[in-house]
C-alpha cells in the first residue's frame, strides 16, 4: 500500500495499477493510475469508495491492515464508474453488515451493475444531507455530470477534507515522479472536458467551503497550495486558454504535409511565439493532442486530402475536439492535395460547428510538396498566427 498521510483518523487504503494497458479502454497511462479509497475512523467507520475489480484483493488486504477485525459501518459511493465501483460486490461479501451510502441514481446504477440485494443496504442521501460518524461528519455535495450523472462529493466537516470524486484527479500511480499539472490536464480534458459548465457549478458550490485537503479518486492527496489546483480547474472548466501558444497538429501520408507543419512551427518560434507544440496525429498520443489543443489559445491544423476529404486521423482529432466542447480559440488551416485539395474546406466545416472559434480566412494550399510559393504562404500564415 502506498503510504499516504492524510490525518490521524483519515487513512489511505487505495491501490496503484501499473498493469493496466488502457485506462477507460482508450487512454495510455505509462505511469499507471491509482484508485484511491479512504477510511474515516470514528465511532462509526466510513469506507470511501472502492477500486477497480482487478485490484479487489489488494484493496481488501489494505483495509484489513487498518481495521483488523473491525468492519466498516458505511461504504460511501461517490461514483459508480467501474474504476471505483468495481469492488463493491467484493466489499459487500466481506462486510455483510455494512450500509451503502449514495444518492438515488447511485442505487439505480448499482442495481444495473451488480446482482446483490441493494435495497436492504442502502442509505439514500441528497444535496446537503449529513452523515455523522462521531466527531467526523460527511456532508454531501452533488456533482452531476462531473462526469457521470450520479457523482457526488463529500465534505468532512471536522477535519475539513473534501472527497472530490474524479475532480482534481490525475493519471499516474502514486509513486510516479511527474508534474501534477501535465497528467491532471490530460486526464481533465479527455475525461471531464465536455462538462465544463457542470464543473463550474460545483466550483461555485465549493467557493465558500473551508478546505484543508482534497482527496480525489485518482492521484495524490492535495494538502498545500489548494488555490493553485482550484485555479487551474477554474481555467480549464471555463474553456479559457491556460497559456499563450500554438499547437501545430498534422496528418500526413508521405511526409510532405508533415514537412510543412514542422516548417511553420519553426517560423512561429522565430517570430517569438515561446510555446509551440507539434503533434503527429497518426503516431502521437491523441489524448495529449487534445490536452494541448485546450492548453493553448491557438492551433494550426495541417492535413492531407484523402478520399476527397480529411485524412482519417485528423477527422478523428476534430471529432474528439467537438465532443469535448473545444471553443474560444483561433485556428489556421493548411491543406495538401495533388489533384483536388479538399481537406481545408472539410476541416473548416467541422470547426464552424464549434463555439467561438475564429478561423483565419486564408488556408495555405500545398500542391503535393512544399515549394517556394508555399514557403511564402506559410510565412504569411505564421505571421498572422504569431500576432493573432
Ligand atoms: Fe475515475 Fe469516472 O471514474
Amino acid at each position: 500500500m502506498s503510504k499516504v498521510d492524510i490525518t490521524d483518523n483519515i487513512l489511505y487504503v487505495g491501490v496503484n495499477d501499473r498493469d493496466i494497458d488502457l485506462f477507460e479502454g482508450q487512454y495510455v497511462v505509462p505511469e499507471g493510475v491509482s484508485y484511491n479509497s479512504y477510511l474515516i475512523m470514528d465511532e462509526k467507520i466510513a469506507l470511501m469508495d472502492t477500486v477497480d475489480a482487478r485490484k479487489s484483493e489488494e484493496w481488501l488486504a489494505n483495509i484489513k491492515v487498518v481495521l483488523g477485525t473491525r468492519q466498516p459501518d458505511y461504504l460511501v459511493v461517490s461514483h459508480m464508474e467501474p474504476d471505483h465501483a468495481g469492488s463493491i460486490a467484493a466489499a459487500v461479501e466481506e462486510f455483510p453488515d455494512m450500509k451503502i451510502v449514495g444518492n438515488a441514481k447511485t442505487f439505480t446504477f448499482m442495481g444495473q451493475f451488480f446482482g446483490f440485494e441493494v435495497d436492504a443496504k442502502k442509505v439514500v442521501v441528497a444535496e446537503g444531507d449529513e452523515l455523522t460518524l462521531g466527531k467526523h461528519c460527511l456532508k454531501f455535495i452533488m456533482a452531476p455530470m462531473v462526469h457521470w450523472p450520479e457523482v457526488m462529493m463529500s465534505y468532512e466537516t471536522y477535519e475539513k477534507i473534501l472527497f472530490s470524486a474524479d475532480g482534481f484527479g490525475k493519471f499516474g500511480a502514486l509513486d510516479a515522479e511527474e508534474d501534477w499539472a501535465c497528467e491532471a490536464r490530460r486526464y481533465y480534458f479527455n475525461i471531464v472536458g465536455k462538462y465544463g459548465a457542470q464543473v463550474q457549478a460545483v466550483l461555485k458550490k465549493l467557493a465558500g467551503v473551508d478546505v484543508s485537503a482534497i482527496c480525489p479518486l485518482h492521484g495524490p492527496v492535495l494538502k498545500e497550495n489548494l488555490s493553485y489546483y482550484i485555479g487551474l480547474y477554474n481555467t480549464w472548466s471555463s474553456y479559457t486558454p491556460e497559456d499563450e501558444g500554438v499547437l501545430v497538429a498534422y496528418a500526413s501520408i508521405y511526409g510532405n504535409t508533415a514537412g510543412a507543419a514542422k516548417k511553420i512551427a519553426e517560423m512561429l518560434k522565430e517570430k517569438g511565439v515561446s510555446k509551440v507544440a507539434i503533434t503527429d496525429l497518426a503516431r502521437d498520443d491523441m489524448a495529449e493532442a487534445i490536452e494541448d489543443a485546450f492548453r493553448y489559445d491557438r492551433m494550426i491544423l495541417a492535413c492531407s486530402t484523402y478520399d476527397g476529404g480529411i485524412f482519417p486521423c485528423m477527422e478523428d482529432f476534430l471529432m474528439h475536439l467537438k465532443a469535448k466542447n473545444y471553443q474560444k480559440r483561433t485556428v489556421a488551416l493548411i491543406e495538401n492535395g495533388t489533384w483536388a485539395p479538399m481537406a481545408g474546406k472539410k476541416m473548416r466545416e467541422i470547426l464552424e460547428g464549434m463555439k467561438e472559434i475564429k478561423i483565419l480566412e486564408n488556408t495555405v494550399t500545398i500542391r503535393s510538396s512544399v515549394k517556394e510559393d508555399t514557403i511564402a504562404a506559410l510565412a504569411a500564415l505564421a505571421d498572422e498566427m504569431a500576432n493573432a
Side-chain angles (χ1 to χ4, degrees), residues 24-327:
E24 270 196 5
Q26 58 174 326
Y27 301 114
V28 293
V29 280
E31 291 290 338
V33 68
S34 71
Y35 312 119
N36 297 344
S37 170
Y38 308 89
L39 277 170
I40 305 176
M41 307 294 291
D42 207 316
E43 288 163 30
K44 300 277 186 192
I45 297 171
L47 175 56
M48 307 300 285
D49 286 294
T50 81
V51 301
D52 190 284
R54 295 164 58 249
K55 296 288 172 183
S56 293
E57 267 183 43
E58 187 183 335
W59 172 67
L60 288 170
N62 289 348
I63 294 169
K64 281 181 197 158
V65 167
V66 176
L67 291 189
T69 55
R70 290 181 73 189
Q71 304 240 327
D73 297 278
Y74 301 105
L75 168 65
V76 177
V77 177
S78 71
H79 182 18
M80 276 302 298
E81 194 168 4
D83 52 332
H84 310 292
S87 297
I88 290 179
V92 164
E93 196 171 315
E94 192 71 30
F95 309 119
D97 298 328
M98 181 180 69
K99 297 283 185 198
I100 305 178
V101 181
N103 55 62
K105 272 207 174 71
T106 314
F107 292 109
T108 304
F109 295 173
M110 205 174 292
Q112 291 171 197
F113 275 108
F114 297 106
F116 65 83
E117 184 47 62
V118 172
D119 282 355
K121 297 182 177 296
K122 70 182 183 187
V123 177
V124 183
V125 296
E127 178 75 35
D129 284 355
E130 295 188 356
L131 178 72
T132 301
L133 305 170
K135 281 183 180 167
H136 294 82
C137 174
L138 290 169
K139 186 167 182 174
F140 300 102
I141 301 163
M142 299 301 130
M145 299 317 300
V146 182
H147 60 114
W148 275 31
E150 83 298 359
V151 172
M152 64 181 198
M153 299 183 178
S154 305
Y155 176 65
E156 197 291 297
T157 57
Y158 181 61
E159 302 202 70
K160 305 187 191 315
I161 309 289
L162 177 68
F163 295 90
S164 60
D166 276 330
F168 303 97
K170 73 178 269 294
F171 294 129
L174 291 191
D175 53 1
E177 287 182 18
E178 59 189 4
D179 176 53
W180 183 87
C182 184
E183 281 297 75
R185 189 190 300 107
R186 189 168 72 96
Y187 176 91
Y188 175 85
F189 281 112
N190 285 279
I191 291 174
V192 192
K194 178 179 169 64
Y195 303 107
Q198 289 83 352
V199 175
Q200 284 278 300
V202 176
L203 290 177
K204 281 195 180 79
K205 282 196 222 178
L206 294 173
V209 180
D210 182 10
V211 176
S212 66
I214 298 175
C215 293
L217 287 176
H218 302 286
V221 170
L222 308 173
K223 297 172 88 170
E224 285 166 11
N225 202 11
L226 298 186
S227 59
Y228 165 74
Y229 304 104
I230 293 166
L232 277 179
Y233 255 62
N234 190 36
T235 300
W236 297 343
S237 59
S238 59
Y239 301 99
T240 308
E242 183 181 337
D243 286 317
E244 286 189 1
V246 181
L247 168 67
V248 180
Y250 66 87
S252 184
I253 308 172
Y254 290 106
N256 288 302
T257 307
K262 288 171 189 167
K263 186 78 200 158
I264 202 163
E266 274 169 34
M267 289 170 169
L268 288 166
K269 285 181 199 158
E270 282 162 15
K271 287 176 191 299
V273 180
S274 60
K275 291 186 177 169
V276 180
I278 184 159
T279 185
D280 175 351
L281 293 172
R283 292 175 180 81
D284 295 337
D285 175 26
M286 180 64 76
E288 194 152 338
I290 301 291
E291 173 198 348
D292 283 340
F294 279 98
R295 177 176 186 170
Y296 299 117
D297 60 334
R298 286 156 285 170
M299 179 169 73
I300 296 177
L301 302 178
C303 185
S304 308
T305 300
Y306 192 79
D307 284 341
I310 306 170
F311 195 55
C313 57
M314 175 63 80
E315 192 159 26
D316 191 29
F317 179 54
L318 285 166
M319 290 301 110
H320 273 84
L321 289 179
K322 192 165 188 210
K324 304 302 175 192
N325 261 333
Y326 183 73
Q327 56 185 272

